[in-house]
Amino acid sequence: MREPTEPGPTPLRATAAPAGPGGASPRASSASAEPGSTLPRVSSAPVVSLRGVSKRFGGVRALVDVDVDVHEHEVLAVVGDNGAGKSTLAGVLAGAHRPDSGQVLVDGVPVVLDSPAAARALGIATVFQELALVNDLDVVENLFLGHEVGSGVFLDEVEMERRAWQVLDQLAASVPSVRDPVRTLSGGQRQVIAVARALLGSPRVVVLDEPTASLGVRQTAEVLNLITRLRARGHAVVLISHQAGDLQAVADRILVLRLGRVHGAYTGETSYEDLLAAMTGAVRPGSGTPMKADQARGSGTGR
Amino acid sequence: MNRDGTRGGGRTLAAVDPAPAEAGSRAALRQWFHGEHGVAPIVVGLALVWVVLAAIEPDFLSAENLVNLTLQSVPVGVIALGVVLVLLVGQIDLSVGSVSGLAAAIVAVGTVTAGWPFAVGVLVALACGLAVGLVYGVLSTRLGLPSFVITLAGLLFFAGVQLRVLGPLGSINLPFESWFVRAIQQGFLEPGVAWALVAVWILAYLGMQVWVRERRRRADLSCVPWSQIALRTGALALVLAAAVGYLSTARGVGYSVVLFVVLVIVADVALRRTRWGRSVRAVGSDRRAALLSGVAVHRTVISCFMACSTLAALGGILAAGRLGAANQGTGGADTYLTAIAAAVIGGTSLFGGRGSAWSALLGVLVIQSVANGLTLLDLDQATRFMVTGAVLLGAIIVDMLVRRRRQEA
């Protein structure tokens, strides 16, 4: 949150032309992937699929009969209004919520994701919106929490610290020290730590729940850059977000949730007006003006 | 004591700014005082207590009295070490006194009345402690009951079991000539052995730091300046040499004291250098985040309850050995409060996640120093309670002030 005071345009340009290795412009890559297609492109067999997944919390139906396919080399964005079931969907993929009915398939084989550790073991890493960092532990301890590096019963602090710097350098993260408790870090730095932790296990699927909601302009650009690099490396990325800038920059397919149901799948080119209409259920074409204003505001702040 | 030994301070800062050695050691000093697990306030507090007591009653600092002080500190110290573990994981165990009394009763009845060998009696008592902790852990994790209430029930229940085990006599003397009682009451290290242990400790500490520094240098990470390693090792050597040298002018270092210090070192290494220890601090600090990170939360909590009850049982056994008897008063009255107070005075947070094994040793030294000093001054139990209460309050206030300053920094 220290970043937004910087002048706007320069960091934004950084998003448009990512300097990372293997990084063509995100727009360009998604445009070339789906030339003029109106239907989502399916490149390969899905890594993870949800089939008829439903979940309720008390009387609230958070997910109703949801089907999702996640492919490698693809950024699948999930959008929806508050309460549409986005975070529940992330929770199901992360192993934090068990669906009441329906199936989760990994490589076509039904699996039970009954704990975050089980999901991780199957190659699904999740960055939760609440980040799930332990405040009293330092950066290295948080990065490796739950899957520490060590020989025998003892931990290998030197190796962990070395790998921590490695992954943080990849993210171009500006963390003053990896031995500070994360309590002392800013919101953006904490987000970067959480993303870095998800990447450490070389997962096949990375689920990001609102990764840019608390970030400044430059860090948002860094995270989006990172997402395109993940895709280039062959990861499947599930991006849960309602930031217009995120979707336009990186999404290959966009899944719209409304009141727990899948309300359509769109390509990355779909205009934000159409998505808003799908999200809210307002399909009248006459409502364009306020939505344009909304979109302008959204991209203007780089979110 | 050496919480910052191989990480923290100078290295942290050097990561940003490779400062010269002098600035590094000043930073280390600051870290030592305000750091995550700063033991400095409690060391200063202990020194203060000693200065005040010595000013009123010079005999307090006599070698013979300090030997007594170390021996008195062991049983409660061992119990406090267990309390540190449950506090770290964010729980509490109020029943440590009753469990220690029960363990003492089992050893006495088993060996004297039933005629078991001592080793068997001790093992049965420790196994009982282990089982009690398992029950607490399962009740706490599976049923989600608050540990305060479970262990309050345990406090009452096991006090009853202790009375039932002791039977109508209510007090059983342990045979004075048995090796167990002799080892605890009269067993002291030969000076040569004591000095050898000190040398081993210092060399291991120094070697560990040099080894870690070398590995870090090879991995291209920031390194602690040599001056800091020398400073830390020198400080440790000074403290150990002073303690052993001075105690040796009287009876020396008791076997039970060695056992306690070894337990503290083992717990400290386990907490800082193993997966289990990391899980303990993570669960105590933020249980949900630890769960989402894939930590086996239930297993961690259960293991801490088990370690705590087992250490409580061991404390009771040591208390029985020191007294030469087990009676209805063993582990009763204020034992559990003293043990919890010792852990908190030593700097372990009541709210989980923050603390160190060394806080058990330092905390119990403070409490026993006060008790010992007031006994020398012929002051009664009433004064002892009041002064201990005041010290506990003072310790928490100091801890809070330090913590607040650190958060503002």
Side-chain angles (χ1 to χ4, degrees):
Chain A
M1 295 320 280
R2 289 171 190 162
E3 313 301 338
T5 50
E6 292 182 14
T10 320
L12 270 182
R13 205 156 287 144
T15 336
S25 154
R27 270 317 310 142
S29 79
S30 65
S32 63
E34 293 133 44
S37 140
T38 48
L39 283 172
R41 189 181 63 110
V42 177
S43 56
S44 58
V47 185
V48 176
S49 307
L50 303 187
R51 287 286 171 264
V53 165
S54 299
K55 175 77 187 173
R56 57 194 310 157
F57 296 104
V60 182
R61 300 207 287 176
L63 290 178
V64 184
D65 201 18
V66 168
D67 290 337
V68 180
D69 286 324
V70 185
H71 301 270
E72 288 181 343
H73 287 289
E74 176 188 67
V75 177
L76 173 68
V78 178
V79 300
D81 205 357
N82 286 350
K86 299 183 305 251
S87 287
T88 310
L89 182 65
V92 167
L93 286 169
H97 299 316
R98 279 185 80 162
D100 300 327
S101 63
Q103 269 189 326
V104 182
L105 305 148
V106 172
D107 291 326
V109 181
V111 293
V112 179
L113 304 178
D114 55 357
S115 72
R120 247 197 113 89
L122 288 164
I124 306 171
T126 305
V127 179
F128 296 95
Q129 190 171 3
E130 72 225 67
L131 299 188
L133 298 175
V134 178
N135 278 330
D136 286 324
L137 298 188
D138 67 30
V139 173
V140 177
E141 289 171 333
N142 265 290
L143 284 177
F144 289 91
L145 187 61
H147 21 86
E148 288 86 356
V149 178
S151 51
V153 292
F154 294 106
L155 302 174
D156 189 343
E157 295 284 350
V158 177
E159 177 63 17
M160 285 195 276
E161 192 167 328
R162 200 182 59 77
R163 287 199 211 166
W165 280 117
Q166 225 172 35
V167 68
L168 290 174
D169 286 346
Q170 279 174 17
L171 299 188
S174 56
V175 177
S177 160
V178 292
R179 287 300 177 188
D180 281 346
V182 294
R183 159 161 41 80
T184 63
L185 300 181
S186 72
Q189 287 168 334
R190 293 163 61 89
Q191 181 74 49
V192 173
I193 302 301
V195 173
R197 182 171 65 183
L199 292 183
L200 272 172
S202 315
R204 296 169 68 199
V205 182
V206 181
V207 182
L208 301 162
D209 190 4
E210 298 286 1
T212 58
S214 62
L215 296 192
V217 175
R218 198 169 69 191
Q219 282 159 329
T220 297
E222 279 165 7
V223 169
L224 294 180
N225 220 330
L226 168 74
I227 291 173
T228 61
R229 251 180 284 159
L230 291 178
R231 174 175 58 196
R233 278 204 245 159
H235 295 284
V237 181
V238 178
L239 171 65
I240 290 167
S241 178
H242 57 247
Q243 318 277 4
D246 293 4
L247 304 179
Q248 287 170 344
V250 297
D252 296 318
R253 283 194 302 147
I254 301 176
L255 194 74
V256 177
L257 282 181
R258 181 146 59 90
L259 300 174
R261 292 174 192 276
V262 176
H263 218 75
Y266 299 81
T267 66
E269 274 78 50
T270 312
S271 75
Y272 198 60
E273 287 88 340
D274 294 343
L275 289 178
L276 272 182
M279 277 156 67
T280 56
V283 276
R284 268 188 315 130
S287 57
T289 317
M291 287 173 183
K292 252 178 200 148
D294 198 1
Q295 181 198 18
R297 202 164 54 239
S299 30
T301 55
R303 297 195 157 197
Chain B
M1 231 175 290
N2 314 307
R3 182 68 219 200
D4 291 343
T6 43
R7 27 176 286 219
R11 211 166 41 169
T12 305
L13 287 160
V16 205
D17 165 30
E22 212 255 327
S25 56
R26 204 182 311 140
L29 207 67
R30 214 188 50 202
Q31 174 93 5
W32 188 66
F33 205 88
H34 301 292
E36 193 63 4
H37 308 280
V39 289
I42 170 71
V43 171
V44 171
L46 183 61
L48 209 68
V49 168
W50 283 20
V51 165
V52 169
L53 287 173
I56 306 173
E57 174 58 73
D59 276 351
F60 175 76
L61 285 185
S62 71
E64 192 50 49
N65 189 53
L66 289 186
V67 169
N68 273 335
L69 176 63
T70 57
L71 294 177
Q72 284 161 2
S73 298
V74 170
V76 182
V78 171
I79 300 175
L81 182 60
V83 172
V84 165
L85 295 179
V86 281
L87 287 181
L88 272 179
V89 85
Q91 306 290 331
I92 195 158
D93 187 347
L94 299 176
S95 72
V96 284
S98 303
V99 171
S100 74
L102 173 60
I106 289 174
V107 169
V109 170
T111 56
V112 176
T113 315
W116 304 341
F118 254 106
V120 174
V122 168
L123 285 180
V124 170
L126 292 180
C128 281
L130 208 62
V132 169
L134 179 63
V135 171
Y136 288 162
V138 169
L139 286 176
S140 164
T141 53
R142 301 289 159 192
L143 298 183
L145 301 176
S147 57
F148 188 93
V149 181
I150 306 172
T151 58
L152 185 59
L155 184 159
L156 294 167
F157 184 83
F158 293 113
V161 177
Q162 178 190 358
L163 296 187
R164 178 61 51 81
V165 169
L166 283 172
L169 284 174
S171 175
I172 294 172
N173 289 329
L174 297 172
F176 189 69
E177 64 283 356
S178 71
W179 63 266
F180 175 75
V181 175
R182 286 163 66 108
I184 291 179
Q185 289 186 346
Q186 297 156 29
F188 289 90
L189 289 182
E190 295 290 323
V193 179
W195 284 110
L197 286 180
V198 166
V200 167
W201 186 348
I202 293 171
L203 284 179
Y205 181 63
L206 180 65
M208 193 71 199
Q209 286 189 89
V210 171
W211 181 65
V212 167
R213 188 185 192 282
E214 179 57 23
R215 285 198 60 208
R216 292 183 63 88
R217 195 184 57 74
R218 269 194 225 145
D220 214 15
L221 296 170
S222 59
C223 300
V224 216
W226 287 108
S227 61
Q228 222 181 93
I229 292 181
L231 208 70
R232 286 178 189 157
T233 311
L236 176 71
L238 204 69
V239 169
L240 290 180
V244 168
Y246 194 57
L247 291 179
S248 295
T249 61
R251 280 173 290 166
V253 183
Y255 287 162
S256 61
V257 178
V258 176
L259 174 67
F260 177 40
V261 173
V262 168
L263 284 174
V264 170
I265 293 175
V266 168
D268 183 51
V269 170
L271 283 171
R272 290 189 298 123
R273 293 269 171 262
T274 67
R275 288 191 182 86
W276 174 79
R278 187 132 311 164
S279 307
V280 168
R281 285 172 53 224
V283 171
S285 173
D286 189 335
R287 190 167 170 145
R288 181 168 163 72
L291 181 72
L292 291 176
S293 306
V295 172
V297 172
H298 285 188
R299 229 186 305 156
T300 306
V301 172
I302 292 173
S303 70
C304 283
F305 274 117
M306 289 172 74
C308 176
S309 295
T310 310
L311 285 169
L314 182 60
I317 296 167
L318 292 171
R322 183 168 156 70
L323 192 68
N327 57 37
Q328 294 178 343
T330 310
D334 59 329
T335 306
Y336 74 100
L337 292 175
T338 312
I340 296 171
V344 174
I345 287 176
T348 294
S349 167
L350 270 173
F351 307 104
R354 282 188 297 241
S356 135
W358 290 100
S359 62
L361 188 139
L362 293 168
V364 81
L365 275 182
V366 170
I367 284 193
Q368 291 298 337
S369 296
V370 169
N372 176 300
L374 297 181
T375 312
L376 285 186
L377 294 173
D378 260 342
L379 290 170
D380 57 0
Q381 183 83 347
T383 321
R384 213 192 99 198
F385 279 159
M386 289 190 279
V387 172
T388 309
V391 168
L392 176 60
L393 184 64
I396 291 188
I397 290 173
V398 168
D399 186 47
M400 190 59 95
L401 292 177
V402 169
R403 199 159 287 168
R404 195 176 295 163
R405 232 177 107 179
R406 196 174 62 213
Q407 270 165 4
E408 281 162 8

